[in-house]
Amino acid sequence: MGPTPRTAPLPAQPLAGLVVVLPRSADRAAGMAAELAARGAVPKVMPLIDFEEPDSVRELDEALEQLGRGRFEWLVVTSITTVRALKQRAAVLGTGLAELARGTKVAAVGSASARALANEGLAVSLVPDAGMDAVGLLAAWPQRPAADPAGGTAAQVLLPQADIAAATLEEGLTARGWLVRAVTAYRTVDYPARPDRRLTAVLAPGAAQAPGGPAGPG
């Protein structure tokens, strides 16, 4: 009888035995939880915040209807949660987000938001190469187009964002000569959100599961 074959050693798991608490909801933590588990850790999900629709969605719905009519030059999306909020309201309006944004240029503040938009069928025209935040997006922002002699809608920007979002983008784009319509797309609340106001839209698979990607507020 020949010698017993030697089996290859199992790959090292640098986080073996560690318990890691993720203060996010299960859907937002899925990517990071899978990565931690693959490295040997035991992930535990403990959400601290949740997201709701605004108490009044009238302004958001009006903005989305104008988006569908081609009233904006740009749609700016600053978080995955914003994508969820827009998808949810688009469905209530009887359409899809990609259909509403057809013909409108789309900017995303970072790669995770860009992936979420792409998976929903939107073509993203602008993502900052560095500084995946409002400052980075402003640094990459194109020059304001020439005024439309026919009184059209060039230079208008739709900026849906969280209720607690900083004014950095709105003020920065306005200072560059753009007409910015900033609307509240969702509210950030303590977990759990009210069942009748909670964001329940499920994104297309892929982007929301990316480990470490920003998801809000924005």
Side-chain angles (χ1 to χ4, degrees), residues 2 12 25 60 64 67 131 153 204 216:
S25 59
L60 177 59
L64 289 176
L67 176 66
T153 59

Side-chain angles (χ1 to χ4, degrees), residues 49-191:
I49 61 173
D50 209 343
F51 305 100
E52 296 181 348
E53 290 187 324
D55 289 332
S56 172
V57 295
R58 188 171 110 179
E59 186 178 12
L60 177 59
D61 286 353
E62 288 176 350
L64 289 176
E65 289 168 354
Q66 290 179 355
L67 176 66
R69 295 197 296 269
R71 292 291 303 276
F72 298 100
E73 183 80 9
W74 284 92
L75 167 65
V76 177
V77 175
T78 57
S79 71
I80 289 177
T81 307
T82 302
V83 183
R84 291 182 61 208
L86 297 182
K87 181 177 183 177
Q88 184 158 317
R89 290 314 303 170
V92 172
L93 296 174
T95 185
L97 181 55
E99 179 64 23
L100 288 175
R102 185 177 57 181
T104 301
K105 288 178 285 190
V106 180
V109 78
S111 57
S113 299
R115 284 193 298 269
L117 289 163
N119 287 349
E120 295 296 332
L122 285 80
V124 180
S125 301
L126 178 63
V127 183
D129 292 328
M132 292 187 181
D133 53 20
V135 175
L137 186 59
L138 285 173
W141 196 261
Q143 292 293 321
R144 181 184 184 277
D148 184 348
T153 59
Q156 292 199 40
V157 177
L158 176 58
L159 178 60
Q161 52 191 352
D163 60 327
I164 59 173
T168 306
L169 267 176
E170 181 181 3
E171 293 175 353
L173 291 172
T174 300
R176 286 163 170 75
W178 293 80
L179 304 176
V180 182
R181 178 160 186 188
V183 296
T184 298
Y186 64 93
R187 297 177 62 245
T188 304
V189 298
D190 292 336
Y191 184 88

